[in-house]
Amino acid sequence: MNLYAIKSIYRFEMARWFRTLAQSIVSPVLSTSLYFVVFGSAIGSRMQAIDGVSYGAFIVPGLIMLSLLGESISNASFGIYMPKWAGTIYELLSAPISWVETVIGYVGAAATKSVLLGLLILATARIFVPFEIAHPFVMLLFLVLTAITFSLFGFVIGVWADDFQKLQIVPLLVVTPLTFLGGSFYSISMLPPIWQKITLFNPVVYLISGFRWSFYGVSDVGVGVSLGMTVVFLAICLTAVWWIFKTGYRLKT
């Protein structure tokens, strides 16, 4: 394992993140804070508790997931797309670095950024809404697994995209709607029976449900199922990344 190469890629990506703190940290934290003010305080005070949890506290895991998924994809996709765009990807491909080491460097940095942002939003949420974390270790497990999984997904998007516009298509038109429809602001048990069954085909439901269980011990889907679905998606993304490096898909052209 070329630890020097992993460290170099990781430090370069983290340095790029710190150069854009306003965009990387301030913007998502401010946006999420507005959600807490509007939904948690203004609207939440007028709504009934859901599964014994106040509405303001109920939406905390969903809002953290909303930011975590978007930032994980964005960080990883831009991280690998910029070397393609600048042409420095050929230096990386010709260097004595395996695809595993490359992925650990880029995805590790993207996941680290997302986890730090998620913890920062969690601390910010405590200012607006009182809540407790029933299972902190499970919460961290879901946070890290989700960050790694969607960073891998973002890595795939960054390789697939051939212009800056395509980097935004999947997050804006696919991931964000699935997150909003995945129980970020409500419990799927509140939906009509037919829509409850349809919603189970949304993979984000399992992420939010398991993450919410780690906070309050309540969920729409069993925590074991949620964890299993997360691992399955992680395996799919890993397989896609392996295939990209095996075939050179959009890396060598």
Side-chain angles (χ1 to χ4, degrees):
M1 185 68 70
N2 191 340
L3 297 179
Y4 184 80
I6 296 174
K7 181 180 177 182
S8 299
I9 296 173
Y10 182 88
R11 291 182 61 183
F12 178 82
E13 285 299 301
M14 292 301 294
R16 183 174 62 84
W17 186 59
F18 283 113
R19 288 196 300 268
T20 58
L21 285 180
Q23 177 183 354
S24 304
I25 295 181
V26 177
S27 179
V29 170
L30 181 60
S31 299
T32 308
S33 298
L34 293 176
Y35 278 115
F36 285 124
V37 171
V38 175
F39 290 95
S41 301
I43 299 177
S45 60
R46 300 174 181 271
M47 296 189 65
Q48 296 180 349
I50 301 177
D51 295 329
V53 182
S54 67
Y55 184 74
F58 183 84
I59 65 174
V60 169
L63 288 177
I64 294 175
M65 275 292 167
L66 180 62
S67 297
L68 187 72
L69 300 188
E71 290 300 313
S72 296
I73 294 174
S74 177
N75 289 327
S77 61
F78 272 95
I80 190 61
Y81 178 78
M82 291 306 295
K84 287 177 52 186
W85 177 76
T88 56
I89 187 71
Y90 300 109
E91 299 178 5
L92 181 66
L93 294 174
S94 62
I97 306 173
S98 69
W99 73 271
V100 175
E101 294 156 354
T102 302
V103 171
I104 290 176
Y106 280 107
V107 172
T112 300
K113 301 171 192 176
S114 300
V115 170
L116 291 176
L117 179 62
L119 294 176
L120 184 58
I121 292 176
L122 182 64
T124 305
R126 197 67 176 81
I127 300 175
F128 299 97
V129 181
F131 62 88
E132 301 294 336
I133 302 176
H135 309 281
F137 292 107
V138 178
M139 185 273 291
L140 286 174
L141 176 63
F142 269 104
L143 193 68
V144 172
L145 276 179
T146 303
I148 294 174
T149 300
F150 278 81
S151 293
L152 284 167
F153 186 47
F155 189 92
V156 174
I157 293 174
V159 173
W160 164 78
D162 53 14
D163 57 47
F164 285 99
Q165 184 178 0
K166 286 187 177 180
L167 290 177
Q168 303 296 329
I169 290 178
V170 175
L172 289 179
L173 300 183
V174 179
V175 176
T176 299
L178 287 179
T179 306
F180 275 94
L181 297 174
S184 296
F185 299 98
Y186 57 88
S187 170
I188 65 173
S189 61
M190 301 166 64
L191 300 174
I194 183 63
W195 284 106
Q196 291 183 29
K197 295 179 180 179
I198 294 174
T199 304
L200 293 178
F201 289 96
N202 181 352
V204 180
V205 166
Y206 302 94
L207 302 175
I208 296 176
S209 180
F211 196 54
R212 183 172 284 131
W213 180 88
S214 69
F215 278 75
Y216 312 118
V218 297
S219 62
D220 296 313
V221 183
V223 64
V225 176
S226 296
L227 185 59
M229 291 297 291
T230 305
V231 173
V232 167
F233 190 40
L234 173 64
I236 293 173
C237 292
L238 272 175
T239 303
V241 172
W242 169 80
W243 178 82
I244 285 172
F245 280 93
K246 177 179 172 56
T247 61
Y249 173 76
R250 293 206 174 182
L251 287 177
K252 300 178 180 180
T253 58

